[in-house]
PDB file of all heavy atoms in Angstrom:
ATOM      1  N   CYS A 126       2.304 -15.715 -12.619  1.00 98.00           N
ATOM      2  CA  CYS A 126       2.344 -16.014 -14.029  1.00 98.00           C
ATOM      3  C   CYS A 126       0.997 -15.845 -14.616  1.00 98.00           C
ATOM      4  O   CYS A 126      -0.033 -16.364 -14.128  1.00 98.00           O
ATOM      5  CB  CYS A 126       2.841 -17.470 -14.231  1.00 98.00           C
ATOM      6  SG  CYS A 126       2.786 -17.951 -15.970  1.00 98.00           S
ATOM      7  N   LEU A 127       0.918 -15.076 -15.741  1.00 96.00           N
ATOM      8  CA  LEU A 127      -0.363 -14.746 -16.328  1.00 96.00           C
ATOM      9  C   LEU A 127      -0.860 -16.000 -17.084  1.00 96.00           C
ATOM     10  O   LEU A 127      -2.053 -16.035 -17.513  1.00 96.00           O
ATOM     11  CB  LEU A 127      -0.256 -13.587 -17.264  1.00 96.00           C
ATOM     12  CG  LEU A 127       0.082 -12.238 -16.558  1.00 96.00           C
ATOM     13  CD1 LEU A 127       0.267 -11.130 -17.577  1.00 96.00           C
ATOM     14  CD2 LEU A 127      -0.987 -11.861 -15.538  1.00 96.00           C
ATOM     15  N   ASP A 128      -0.040 -16.957 -17.333  1.00 96.00           N
ATOM     16  CA  ASP A 128      -0.431 -18.171 -18.052  1.00 96.00           C
ATOM     17  C   ASP A 128      -0.823 -19.298 -17.181  1.00 96.00           C
ATOM     18  O   ASP A 128      -1.973 -19.743 -17.198  1.00 96.00           O
ATOM     19  CB  ASP A 128       0.662 -18.585 -19.023  1.00 96.00           C
ATOM     20  CG  ASP A 128       0.948 -17.492 -20.103  1.00 96.00           C
ATOM     21  OD1 ASP A 128      -0.046 -16.950 -20.604  1.00 96.00           O
ATOM     22  OD2 ASP A 128       2.112 -17.216 -20.373  1.00 96.00           O
ATOM     23  N   CYS A 129       0.070 -19.747 -16.318  1.00 98.00           N
ATOM     24  CA  CYS A 129      -0.272 -20.868 -15.420  1.00 98.00           C
ATOM     25  C   CYS A 129      -0.737 -20.468 -14.046  1.00 98.00           C
ATOM     26  O   CYS A 129      -1.090 -21.308 -13.241  1.00 98.00           O
ATOM     27  CB  CYS A 129       0.939 -21.836 -15.310  1.00 98.00           C
ATOM     28  SG  CYS A 129       2.280 -21.285 -14.201  1.00 98.00           S
ATOM     29  N   ARG A 130      -0.678 -19.172 -13.689  1.00 96.00           N
ATOM     30  CA  ARG A 130      -1.129 -18.604 -12.421  1.00 96.00           C
ATOM     31  C   ARG A 130      -0.263 -18.930 -11.286  1.00 96.00           C
ATOM     32  O   ARG A 130      -0.595 -18.577 -10.118  1.00 96.00           O
ATOM     33  CB  ARG A 130      -2.573 -18.980 -12.120  1.00 96.00           C
ATOM     34  CG  ARG A 130      -3.614 -18.888 -13.272  1.00 96.00           C
ATOM     35  CD  ARG A 130      -3.655 -17.369 -13.747  1.00 96.00           C
ATOM     36  NE  ARG A 130      -4.172 -16.474 -12.777  1.00 96.00           N
ATOM     37  CZ  ARG A 130      -4.124 -15.087 -12.887  1.00 96.00           C
ATOM     38  NH1 ARG A 130      -3.615 -14.589 -14.007  1.00 96.00           N
ATOM     39  NH2 ARG A 130      -4.622 -14.347 -11.977  1.00 96.00           N
ATOM     40  N   GLU A 131       0.852 -19.632 -11.433  1.00 96.00           N
ATOM     41  CA  GLU A 131       1.763 -19.918 -10.343  1.00 96.00           C
ATOM     42  C   GLU A 131       2.317 -18.615  -9.741  1.00 96.00           C
ATOM     43  O   GLU A 131       2.584 -17.615 -10.492  1.00 96.00           O
ATOM     44  CB  GLU A 131       2.951 -20.802 -10.837  1.00 96.00           C
ATOM     45  CG  GLU A 131       3.872 -21.176  -9.639  1.00 96.00           C
ATOM     46  CD  GLU A 131       5.258 -21.731 -10.127  1.00 96.00           C
ATOM     47  OE1 GLU A 131       5.216 -22.750 -10.899  1.00 96.00           O
ATOM     48  OE2 GLU A 131       6.269 -21.216  -9.712  1.00 96.00           O
ATOM     49  N   CYS A 178       8.119 -17.044 -16.533  1.00 98.00           N
ATOM     50  CA  CYS A 178       7.720 -17.963 -15.416  1.00 98.00           C
ATOM     51  C   CYS A 178       8.682 -19.150 -15.312  1.00 98.00           C
ATOM     52  O   CYS A 178       9.112 -19.687 -16.305  1.00 98.00           O
ATOM     53  CB  CYS A 178       6.258 -18.492 -15.694  1.00 98.00           C
ATOM     54  SG  CYS A 178       5.762 -19.774 -14.622  1.00 98.00           S
ATOM     55  N   ARG A 179       9.098 -19.476 -14.095  1.00 96.00           N
ATOM     56  CA  ARG A 179      10.028 -20.575 -13.926  1.00 96.00           C
ATOM     57  C   ARG A 179       9.423 -21.907 -14.239  1.00 96.00           C
ATOM     58  O   ARG A 179      10.146 -22.833 -14.525  1.00 96.00           O
ATOM     59  CB  ARG A 179      10.633 -20.560 -12.557  1.00 96.00           C
ATOM     60  CG  ARG A 179       9.595 -20.643 -11.433  1.00 96.00           C
ATOM     61  CD  ARG A 179      10.223 -20.452 -10.037  1.00 96.00           C
ATOM     62  NE  ARG A 179       9.103 -20.398  -9.099  1.00 96.00           N
ATOM     63  CZ  ARG A 179       9.282 -20.229  -7.763  1.00 96.00           C
ATOM     64  NH1 ARG A 179      10.509 -20.205  -7.246  1.00 96.00           N
ATOM     65  NH2 ARG A 179       8.272 -20.185  -6.941  1.00 96.00           N
ATOM     66  N   GLY A 180       8.097 -21.949 -14.213  1.00 96.00           N
ATOM     67  CA  GLY A 180       7.418 -23.213 -14.541  1.00 96.00           C
ATOM     68  C   GLY A 180       7.132 -23.416 -16.029  1.00 96.00           C
ATOM     69  O   GLY A 180       7.513 -24.388 -16.675  1.00 96.00           O
ATOM     70  N   CYS A 181       6.537 -22.368 -16.585  1.00 98.00           N
ATOM     71  CA  CYS A 181       6.059 -22.546 -17.972  1.00 98.00           C
ATOM     72  C   CYS A 181       6.666 -21.564 -18.982  1.00 98.00           C
ATOM     73  O   CYS A 181       6.375 -21.601 -20.153  1.00 98.00           O
ATOM     74  CB  CYS A 181       4.531 -22.506 -18.005  1.00 98.00           C
ATOM     75  SG  CYS A 181       3.872 -20.755 -17.868  1.00 98.00           S
ATOM     76  N   GLY A 182       7.437 -20.651 -18.458  1.00 97.00           N
ATOM     77  CA  GLY A 182       7.988 -19.653 -19.377  1.00 97.00           C
ATOM     78  C   GLY A 182       7.085 -18.440 -19.705  1.00 97.00           C
ATOM     79  O   GLY A 182       7.431 -17.626 -20.487  1.00 97.00           O
ATOM     80  N   GLY A 183       5.920 -18.466 -19.070  1.00 97.00           N
ATOM     81  CA  GLY A 183       4.901 -17.426 -19.399  1.00 97.00           C
ATOM     82  C   GLY A 183       5.218 -16.062 -18.921  1.00 97.00           C
ATOM     83  O   GLY A 183       6.305 -15.828 -18.229  1.00 97.00           O
ATOM     84  N   VAL A 184       4.348 -15.118 -19.159  1.00 97.00           N
ATOM     85  CA  VAL A 184       4.551 -13.725 -18.806  1.00 97.00           C
ATOM     86  C   VAL A 184       4.265 -13.491 -17.314  1.00 97.00           C
ATOM     87  O   VAL A 184       3.216 -13.967 -16.790  1.00 97.00           O
ATOM     88  CB  VAL A 184       3.652 -12.773 -19.660  1.00 97.00           C
ATOM     89  CG1 VAL A 184       3.701 -11.372 -19.093  1.00 97.00           C
ATOM     90  CG2 VAL A 184       4.033 -12.893 -21.094  1.00 97.00           C
ATOM     91  N   LEU A 185       5.142 -12.824 -16.622  1.00 98.00           N
ATOM     92  CA  LEU A 185       5.032 -12.583 -15.227  1.00 98.00           C
ATOM     93  C   LEU A 185       4.528 -11.157 -14.964  1.00 98.00           C
ATOM     94  O   LEU A 185       4.840 -10.204 -15.672  1.00 98.00           O
ATOM     95  CB  LEU A 185       6.381 -12.725 -14.497  1.00 98.00           C
ATOM     96  CG  LEU A 185       7.001 -14.082 -14.563  1.00 98.00           C
ATOM     97  CD1 LEU A 185       8.356 -14.062 -13.905  1.00 98.00           C
ATOM     98  CD2 LEU A 185       6.124 -15.144 -13.823  1.00 98.00           C
TER      99      LEU A 185
HETATM  100 ZN1  LIG B 301       3.678 -20.055 -15.733  1.00 53.12          ZN
END
Side-chain angles (χ1 to χ4, degrees):
C126 173
L127 296 176
D128 296 318
C129 74
R130 312 301 296 170
E131 184 194 302
C178 169
R179 57 187 172 179
C181 78
V184 172
L185 298 176

